[in-house]
Amino acid sequence: MEIKPIRSETDYEAALRRIETLWGASAGTSDGDELDVLVTLTEAYERKHYAIDRPDPIEAIKFRLEQTGRDFRALIGVIGQRTRVYEVMRGARPLSLNMIRNLHRQLEIPAEVLIQSARKPARRASQKSSDKEGLASRRLASLGGTMRKLKDIPRRRSR
């Protein structure tokens, strides 16, 4: 039994091949002990190099509802009234502590997943400014002007 740390992808693949050959070994035997140690090492390597992010809370709720064959109406009473359910599910309202507790208890969604804030698509600052410039250009074009003409107009001084 030669066990060494898993430091590279090659070591990881070799450990997986060895685990495959040892799979089903009886506990308490030398093969069983080797299997336990290799599984522990590969789990640590995977946690470090192949980390899986927690799902978005709203996506986790949708997934659980889909798994159980229910729709948003099943959340009425768990989250609140119908309007509150739709506000939460479209991301307009964050989950409260009571909602998180109820969802955890009734849908068995891990609280760690529900506690994190919902992810909204991030917009870059350059995208925001180009959107504003594009909107201004379209408005000016509809009035028969351009951005260049607008910049050449002398500004009034406020009194």
Side-chain angles (χ1 to χ4, degrees):
M1 172 163 94
E2 181 190 336
I3 296 179
K4 59 182 185 168
I6 300 174
R7 293 189 178 108
S8 67
E9 200 63 30
T10 336
D11 294 342
Y12 172 69
E13 289 172 10
L16 288 177
R17 283 192 300 277
R18 182 66 181 149
I19 287 171
E20 192 175 327
T21 60
L22 294 172
W23 198 255
S26 301
T29 64
S30 63
D31 285 347
D33 292 343
E34 183 180 359
L35 177 64
D36 286 342
V37 171
L38 284 173
V39 166
T40 304
L41 288 173
T42 55
E43 283 177 347
Y45 183 84
E46 288 172 349
R47 219 177 2 263
K48 183 176 180 181
H49 296 280
Y50 300 108
I52 299 173
D53 291 337
R54 289 190 175 121
D56 179 71
I58 303 304
E59 293 302 317
I61 295 169
K62 288 177 183 176
F63 179 73
R64 180 64 76 183
L65 289 173
E66 185 180 308
Q67 277 185 324
T68 58
R70 297 186 270 177
D71 61 5
F72 293 161
R73 291 177 295 194
L75 298 175
I76 296 173
V78 177
I79 290 180
Q81 297 302 321
R82 184 177 55 110
T83 54
R84 178 73 40 91
V85 169
Y86 286 102
E87 287 174 346
V88 168
M89 295 309 288
R90 73 170 193 257
R93 177 183 290 272
L95 290 169
S96 70
L97 186 55
N98 284 333
M99 291 177 196
I100 291 170
R101 285 181 183 139
N102 290 339
L103 288 165
H104 173 69
R105 189 177 320 110
Q106 296 196 10
L107 294 180
E108 298 176 356
I109 300 173
E112 311 75 65
V113 171
L114 297 170
I115 289 172
Q116 60 185 343
S117 60
R119 295 181 206 119
K120 292 185 180 178
R123 293 186 62 177
R124 295 172 293 196
S126 62
Q127 185 180 2
K128 287 180 186 177
S129 63
S130 66
D131 288 350
K132 288 178 184 175
E133 288 174 6
L135 180 62
S137 296
R138 286 191 300 274
R139 285 184 182 164
L140 279 173
S142 69
L143 298 172
T146 63
M147 285 297 280
R148 184 172 293 146
K149 287 182 183 177
L150 180 66
K151 290 177 182 174
D152 293 338
I153 298 172
R155 298 187 181 236
R156 281 194 212 171
R157 294 186 184 167
S158 54
R159 296 180 186 180

